[in-house]
Amino acid sequence: MMRNIIRNWTACIGMVVTLAACDDYLDITPKGKALLKSTEDYLGLIEDRSPEYDMMNSWILAGEASWYKAEELKSYTNPLNSVAYFWDESYDRAGDMIENAAYNACYDRITKFNVVVDGIASSEGKEEDKRMGEAQARVLRAYNYFFLINTFARPYDPATAYQTHGIIVREKMFESLEDVGIQQSVGYTYDFIQRDIEAAIPDLPHKATNSFRPDKTFGYAFKAKVHLFRREFEQCIEACDSALAEAARAGHELWDMTEGYNTFAPMLVAAGYPEMAIDEPQYAGVNDFVENVWKTRIPFEYDAPEQLLYQFGSTYTDPYPMYVPKQVLDLFQKDADLRYRYCIRYKAEHETAPAGDSNFSTLAVKWNPGGMRLSEVYLMLAECYARKGNTADLSKAMGYMETLRACRMVPGRYQPFAPTDAEEALRLVREERKRELFLTCNGFFDLRRFVTEFNETQTRVIEGKTYTLSPASHLLTYPFPLKAMQTSNLIQNSK
């Protein structure tokens, strides 16, 4: 019965995908209301069957991904990917962006969450389930708006946020047909996101049914992330502390990657594989079997304790089999970092890929490209304390970093970080974020916020040629898709 209700409702809101940010979607109101009666009906809308966030192009733009055919990048076979790869500011992307999968999917989900927020209180069911359902819908609505505002609007700047065009924010599902969707400012959108989070946290469950539904730990972690992006660092620390306290209660903990290594490395040595082959898979060409062990025998599942909210990329398998540029791979200490060992192929699968790049080659590790992991909380705390700069706070920052690194690195093969000032500490945190959070939404979002805050010009070298990306570049903001422009009063934010 529940499956049929969700299927029927999904069919109704399928018409909304490209219109959810404009007025036309209101025509389906009666159908939606007619289908939803019980609290369980509404709860069925919260867990999306395919919570996808298409990020491949932004991964390329952030320097975290390339393509398995270098010549196709050079020849602009897919122009938007080439523009992102070469930071080609001369190209007008808006003309090629008829639709955008991430834009459509986010507004599709927001529409469903609006239905839950508006209607679940009057449904037939337990009051505590109604409160939980509304809270989960609110925080997921906020999460989708956060993704949209950090993709289709200029990066948050406290000095200009309320004068900068943002996105259309729909606070209700069933509004008057005469109402016109309003494109709110970046500042207003962040305020709305924070209000939703604050309203949601008290009624979020301590432990959700599964990692596709938000719990209280996620609520506090997401709250911290919004504060971080607004440069509200003390509030970020406070929310992170609440997240860690709640995590301990709910059973969330960091994935200790060394457990798998300590299990399988001795077994491989006992089986006769040279010790060097275990840690350097290219050694003597003897160990495709060893590579297979690292990529298949040490799983990290959707419901692993570290997962706070699991959300897919553009496919269920993302980021597999994306190619990762050499510039990112060189950030890893390859003989010690188990993120590299478990995820990155020891040699490129395709000879046609850019030189030095290799691919994310495991399906056993559910990387959570669109969601949040507990490791983000440790990195946010490290960043906030690093920014303070005094000796005691630098020590705290590195303490959080080393707690994370102890779960990611082979013991005895790496040295603890020991920065002497805030600048060095923040550099170390930023590099660790690139290692821990590559091929998630964070790489692109971090690129935007750091270049804006510090007025940085980024550089990358491809086949001996240097390319630059300025902090004012329009490439840091994706243009609204043409279909959204045609059905609304949106003012274009980019090109």
Side-chain angles (χ1 to χ4, degrees), residues 4-76:
N4 290 334
I5 291 172
I6 295 175
R7 189 179 298 114
N8 290 338
W9 174 245
T10 301
C12 289
I13 63 173
M15 297 181 293
V16 177
V17 173
T18 60
L19 300 173
C22 68
D23 299 316
D24 296 6
Y25 81 99
L26 296 168
D27 294 340
I28 66 161
T29 296
K31 296 180 182 179
K33 278 189 170 179
L35 286 167
L36 302 170
K37 295 182 181 296
S38 73
T39 302
E40 284 298 316
D41 294 344
Y42 282 94
L43 292 177
L45 294 179
I46 292 172
E47 185 179 328
D48 199 305
R49 293 179 299 173
S50 56
E52 298 173 2
Y53 296 81
D54 188 349
M55 294 172 283
M56 191 180 91
N57 190 265
S58 64
W59 288 341
I60 296 173
L61 181 58
E64 295 185 341
S66 58
W67 187 241
Y68 76 103
K69 292 183 177 180
E71 289 304 317
E72 289 189 358
L73 290 171
K74 296 176 187 176
S75 64
Y76 279 57

Side-chain angles (χ1 to χ4, degrees), residues 60-354:
I60 296 173
L61 181 58
E64 295 185 341
S66 58
W67 187 241
Y68 76 103
K69 292 183 177 180
E71 289 304 317
E72 289 189 358
L73 290 171
K74 296 176 187 176
S75 64
Y76 279 57
T77 301
N78 182 322
L80 294 179
N81 285 348
S82 298
V83 168
Y85 188 68
F86 294 109
W87 288 341
D88 184 353
E89 295 189 350
S90 67
Y91 197 92
D92 185 350
R93 296 174 298 173
D96 278 352
M97 200 168 292
I98 308 301
E99 292 190 279
N100 181 281
Y103 186 90
N104 293 345
C106 283
Y107 276 113
D108 181 15
R109 288 188 289 264
I110 287 167
T111 298
K112 290 190 293 184
F113 300 143
N114 280 344
V115 170
V116 177
V117 171
D118 287 357
I120 195 170
S122 59
S123 66
E124 301 168 1
K126 296 179 181 179
E127 291 302 317
E128 58 266 33
D129 289 343
K130 296 178 187 179
R131 292 193 297 271
M132 179 192 71
E134 181 178 337
Q136 290 183 321
R138 282 188 181 278
V139 78
L140 287 171
R141 177 171 71 178
Y143 193 74
N144 279 267
Y145 275 130
F146 184 80
F147 188 92
L148 288 167
I149 199 68
N150 279 285
T151 304
F152 297 98
R154 293 291 301 168
Y156 185 91
D157 184 337
T160 61
Y162 292 92
Q163 291 78 48
T164 303
H165 291 299
I167 59 175
I168 288 178
V169 176
R170 279 287 185 184
E171 302 184 23
K172 290 181 175 292
M173 173 62 184
F174 305 121
E175 295 179 350
S176 166
L177 290 173
E178 287 74 33
D179 286 349
V180 176
I182 299 174
Q183 183 176 9
Q184 302 289 358
S185 69
V186 170
Y188 179 96
T189 306
Y190 267 85
D191 288 346
F192 179 77
I193 289 168
Q194 283 191 307
R195 288 198 301 271
D196 254 358
I197 296 171
E198 298 288 353
I201 285 176
D203 292 316
L204 289 172
H206 292 293
K207 185 68 175 176
T209 307
N210 57 54
S211 65
F212 293 92
R213 295 194 182 192
D215 63 13
K216 208 178 288 285
T217 306
F218 168 76
Y220 282 119
F222 180 34
K223 172 179 164 62
K225 188 168 187 170
V226 175
H227 285 306
L228 182 71
F229 276 58
R230 297 190 84 160
R231 307 181 200 172
E232 298 167 347
F233 303 119
E234 290 300 328
Q235 294 97 315
C236 179
I237 290 173
E238 183 179 347
C240 283
D241 288 342
S242 296
L244 290 183
E246 186 60 36
R249 177 175 180 173
H252 289 294
E253 60 184 9
L254 292 172
W255 175 28
D256 187 352
M257 301 177 82
T258 67
E259 292 179 356
Y261 183 87
N262 292 336
T263 297
F264 286 101
M267 292 172 57
L268 290 167
V269 171
Y273 284 90
E275 187 169 352
M276 185 178 291
I278 293 169
D279 297 315
E280 298 182 27
Q282 70 274 19
Y283 175 75
V286 300
N287 64 332
D288 281 342
F289 173 75
V290 174
E291 178 76 352
N292 186 64
V293 168
W294 296 136
K295 301 303 187 290
T296 65
R297 301 292 294 276
I298 306 173
F300 181 55
E301 301 293 352
Y302 296 124
D303 280 332
E306 186 173 317
Q307 311 280 25
L308 301 186
L309 178 74
Y310 199 96
Q311 306 282 272
F312 296 106
S314 60
T315 70
Y316 290 101
T317 64
D318 267 350
Y320 172 91
M322 290 301 302
Y323 267 82
V324 182
K326 182 178 184 298
Q327 191 170 350
V328 174
L329 300 181
D330 287 345
L331 292 171
F332 291 91
Q333 184 183 334
K334 296 180 178 61
D335 66 339
D337 201 315
L338 295 172
R339 293 166 294 198
Y340 183 89
R341 175 60 51 244
Y342 294 170
C343 298
I344 304 299
R345 200 170 191 273
Y346 71 97
K347 63 179 180 180
E349 188 174 356
H350 301 89
E351 294 182 358
T352 55

